[in-house]
Amino acid sequence: MTESGNIWIRMHGLLTRFLNMSEFTHFDERGRAVMVDVADKDDTRRIAVASGRIRMLPDTLTRILGGQAAKGDVLGIARIAAIQATKRTAELIPLCHPIALTRVGVEFSHDVGESWVACEVTAETVGKTGVEMEALTGVSVALLTIYDMCKAVDRGMRMTDIRLLEKQGGRSGHWQAERQA
């Protein structure tokens, strides 16, 4: 429903007001969900980098780093899960376009003192739409995989700070997030 330039959309029983629907590319002028038309966009090289962390008990991190987790090589399996997830993003996120990825990189780091593992995923393609969602999905699934493989010893693990760090390519060009301390 529209009212003096505002658009109201009922989602899950809640009425939400959007002031300017033109800012939301996945909604039409009536507020209905749409897949963005990318037919007229140029094919360009597109890169996205996303990251996130999983915080855990010190003993859990020790087991992961020492290869002593009961289910095996936690970070190796999480790396494969991240790559697989990037390739299946369009199946998971309803309005994402299927993308032919040209490269996916997955890196892990850790901090023993703070007891966390960080994951960074870089997704690349040459195409008409970006790969931000692929990078974010890869990070999320990598962290979920770590949780799944270690939950028997640490159900209190917390996934945090999942975010886009950088994107390159396309009409909007290069964007980089402010680095967190």
Side-chain angles (χ1 to χ4, degrees), residues 13-79:
L14 299 174
L15 197 58
T16 304
R17 179 179 67 148
F18 293 97
L19 296 176
N20 184 355
M21 287 306 290
S22 66
E23 294 178 26
F24 294 91
T25 59
H26 287 85
F27 292 102
D28 67 12
E29 65 283 345
R30 293 176 54 200
R32 295 177 302 185
V34 296
M35 189 173 200
V36 175
D37 182 358
V38 297
D40 292 333
K41 288 185 172 185
D42 292 331
D43 284 344
T44 61
R45 182 170 187 232
R46 295 164 185 268
I47 303 169
V49 181
S51 69
R53 292 182 184 173
I54 185 165
R55 298 180 182 283
M56 61 195 64
L57 295 172
D59 182 60
T60 307
L61 181 59
T62 299
R63 290 178 189 217
I64 290 171
L65 298 177
Q68 300 164 340
K71 290 188 176 181
D73 178 6
V74 173
L75 299 182
I77 299 300
R79 179 183 318 280

Side-chain angles (χ1 to χ4, degrees), residues 78-95:
R79 179 183 318 280
I80 297 300
I83 293 167
Q84 181 177 356
T86 61
K87 297 190 299 184
R88 301 189 75 162
T89 299
E91 295 174 34
L92 300 169
I93 311 295
L95 301 177

